[in-house]
Structures are given as C-alpha cells and as structure tokens.
Amino acid sequence: QVQLAESGGGLVQAGGSLRLSCAASGVVFRFSNMGWYRQAPGQQRELVGLVNKDGNTNYGDSVKGRFTLWRDYNKVYLQMNNLKPEDTAVYFCNAVGLRDVLFWGQGTQVTVSS
C-alpha cells in the first residue's frame, strides 16, 4: 500500500523559514509528478507547487519567489522562506502514480504568527 508521510511543519514567526519533507513507502514505481497543496480553514485546497520527473517545477502564484520545491526520486521537499501569516494552512504532499492515480499524505500543519 502506497503511503506518503510528511514532516517538518510547525509554528514560525512571519519572515521565518520552514522545510517540509515527504517520503513515500510501499511503492515500486517512480511517481510522475510530486508536489504540495495546502488548505486553510474554510478555504479550498490550493496548489503550492509541483515537480515532475525531470525536475521541472510549477508554483502557485502566491508562493513564487519565496518557496522552492525539489525532489529526490520519490521524496519531495519544500523550502519555505519569508513566510507570511496567510501561508498558515495544512500542507499536503501529493504524488501521481501509474494511470494518473493520485496519492495524498495526511497533512502537516504550518502556522505563521504575525
């Protein structure tokens, strides 16, 4: 059974940094895309960023220039700099497997205080 496990969330002051990590287990193939989404209370889940097999990235507009995404095979990382209170959300790891099956982690809370 494929599982994605996130780590690295927490509480940080505005302007600070955090790094999130996501590792896959129970998988014998390489994911095509991996990335991160986030969901704040009362809001829809939104794209943070995606990285494909070739390392090409795509970011949501609200995080461009502040967040950096990369992967190492079936692990994906998110470096978040210059964090803002509006970045507060649950961050979910996402991976696309064979036949475009989507996998999700349980989520990790990121809280940015002003």
Side-chain angles (χ1 to χ4, degrees), residues 34-37 46-51 57-60 63 69 76 78:
M34 297 190 75
W36 296 89
Y37 287 74
E46 66 170 354
L47 172 70
V48 175
L50 295 173
V51 55
T57 54
N58 179 35
Y59 294 95
V63 306
L69 181 72
V76 64
L78 181 67

Side-chain angles (χ1 to χ4, degrees), residues 26-114:
V27 59
V28 296
F29 54 85
R30 186 177 186 183
F31 295 119
S32 55
N33 289 342
M34 297 190 75
W36 296 89
Y37 287 74
R38 68 185 184 185
Q39 188 166 19
Q43 297 188 21
Q44 290 187 332
R45 192 171 294 190
E46 66 170 354
L47 172 70
V48 175
L50 295 173
V51 55
N52 66 12
K53 286 181 177 180
D54 299 322
N56 298 314
T57 54
N58 179 35
Y59 294 95
D61 288 341
S62 61
V63 306
K64 286 179 181 177
R66 299 187 298 122
F67 290 11
T68 303
L69 181 72
W70 70 98
R71 68 185 287 181
D72 178 9
Y73 195 67
N74 279 344
K75 294 181 180 179
V76 64
Y77 305 91
L78 181 67
Q79 178 67 39
M80 304 184 291
N81 296 330
N82 191 22
L83 282 160
K84 304 175 181 180
E86 50 263 43
D87 294 317
T88 296
V90 178
Y91 284 68
F92 295 92
C93 178
N94 167 268
V96 182
L98 301 176
R99 301 182 184 88
D100 292 336
V101 173
L102 298 182
F103 298 94
W104 294 93
Q106 292 297 310
T108 185
Q109 177 70 46
V110 171
T111 303
V112 184
S113 62
S114 57

